[in-house]
Amino acid sequence: MELYRLTAHEIHQLLQKKEVSSEEVTMSVISRIEEVEPKVNGYIETTFDPALDTARAVDKRIARGDEIRPLTGIPIAIKDNMCTQGIKTTCSSRTLHNFIPPYDATVVKRLKEVDAVIIGKTNMDEFAMGSSTETSFYGPTRNPCNLDYVPGGTSGGSAAVVAAHETIIALGSDTGGSIRQPASFCGVVGLKPTYGRVSRFGLIAYASSFDQIGPVTKDVTDAALLMKVISGYDSADSTSVKNDVPDYLNYLEEDLKNIKIGIPIEYFAEGIDPEVKSAVLQAINLISGIGAQCENISMPHTEYAIPCYYILVTSEASSNLARYDGVQYGLRKEEKNLIGMYRATRSEGFGDEVKRRIMLGTYALSAGYYDAYYLKAQKVRTLIKQDFDKAFEKYDALITPVSPFPAFKIGEKMNDPLQMYLADIYTVTINLAGVPAISIPCGFSKDGLPIGLQIVCKPFDEHTLFKIAFALEKSLGRAKK
Ligand code: GLN
């Protein structure tokens, strides 16, 4: 049996019945990585030895008859912007190429508490800025569905290693679509939780009022299992929220009667690829067929989302990245004086896209322009959030495409940052409003590239997301490769 092809919930059953061991599962994933990783480049670093130590320790516990949790003994890949104690954490940047964190991010700590098997750190766009995983200092990741194409970004490494079966599950982070868009490009499931649901402690900051960590998995059930482990209040993150974390699995089988779904017309307007539009509309038909009521709605401020998002995230990034000065972390270029050292360190440490964003953000925050750009964008953010509040007065969920087009070719948009920014048109609104959204596969283009759809719910209603996503997944069949 090719164990690496299984989902976490399938492996959990086999572990419980003692039909396979965690070591066998881990070995199977390791040999898969050795086979396909030279083509995919989804990992920055693998951690086979500690992974096998954890797996063997789990097997001993199972042999002793101990109870195991759903993710115990399951291989997981972690995006390289989450701190892992004693394991290099680079954010795919030269700046942090030698940074070894002295502590674990809270999500990593929680995974270790259930004895999940950390198999490696995944490639990403530098500091999570981009939409294609091409801005990585370690070279681009390739889409396992077609190696000439990007896997999406910035959690392109996580989505690619899940799709290529180089892990069983993975964690990504999402500031403006970085979990959902790569999930849709690679034909896997990705969830951006409500802002505050998952602790950001130990997540290297890009835009702190947008960033959230979430699951990237082969199916909806695995996403629900992983969410249960990583969610919940953390005193180390002042923006994490003290809400109970439901057992998401209990909601999966519920029917969709009485569920009302809004279809925002602005997400199907000009610019959308006809194949994407038709795949998403077909799925909406399917969902109406299984009990949900779907109606068109308008979210009038959607057109301002991209400029609003890029002003706010670059502003936050310019402030967050000020800490990489050659004094505290990572790269340091010695020069004759302090200013020279700062300049050399930052100009050699950061890539072009990161520098572009620091400049944009610094400009938007500067004294003469703050009111015209940053403050105005904050007000627009509130209007966009109000579009969602209003929609959720009447609807339980919204369904939209994830990306206007399927995966594009490597290199196709690298020289045109504006085109790259437009790839995020349907995902950034979700982070501006702080609401949760899941991306699930809903079809393929004629070139065989996966297409995803996005389900959006009210804050802390992830259980409704799972319920709708699970019903749709059942009707659509899991995207097979
Ligand atoms: N593509 C978006 C950006 O570059 C989203 C990135 C993300 O979600 N980390 O900002």
Side-chain angles (χ1 to χ4, degrees), residues 128-131 154 173-178 206 309-310 313 357 424:
M129 298 173 187
S131 303
T154 61
S173 71
D174 190 313
T175 304
S178 279
Y206 160 19
Y309 169 84
Y310 275 98
V313 292
R357 301 215 184 183
D424 307 326

Side-chain angles (χ1 to χ4, degrees), residues 299-321:
M299 308 207 40
H301 297 98
T302 308
E303 65 173 301
Y304 307 111
I306 289 278
C308 170
Y309 169 84
Y310 275 98
I311 288 171
L312 294 178
V313 292
T314 55
S315 300
E316 291 191 25
S318 73
S319 159
N320 274 326
L321 271 60

Side-chain angles (χ1 to χ4, degrees), residues 79 81 124-132 153-155 173-182 192 206-207 210-212 309-310 313-314 353 357 420-421 423-424 427-428 431:
K79 187 176 179 180
N81 58 353
M124 53 185 280
D125 283 293
E126 185 179 8
F127 281 102
M129 298 173 187
S131 303
S132 62
T154 61
S155 312
S173 71
D174 190 313
T175 304
S178 279
I179 290 177
R180 292 159 287 152
Q181 184 252 25
K192 197 289 282 183
Y206 160 19
F210 294 74
D211 302 339
Q212 270 291 290
Y309 169 84
Y310 275 98
V313 292
T314 55
E353 185 58 30
R357 301 215 184 183
M420 192 73 97
Y421 296 172
D424 307 326
T427 48
V428 296
N431 306 67

Side-chain angles (χ1 to χ4, degrees), residues 38-60:
K39 286 184 238 147
V40 176
N41 194 33
Y43 283 105
I44 286 175
E45 175 111 345
T46 48
T47 50
F48 296 158
D49 288 339
L52 284 166
D53 289 345
T54 309
R56 289 181 191 125
V58 164
D59 289 335
K60 277 198 192 123

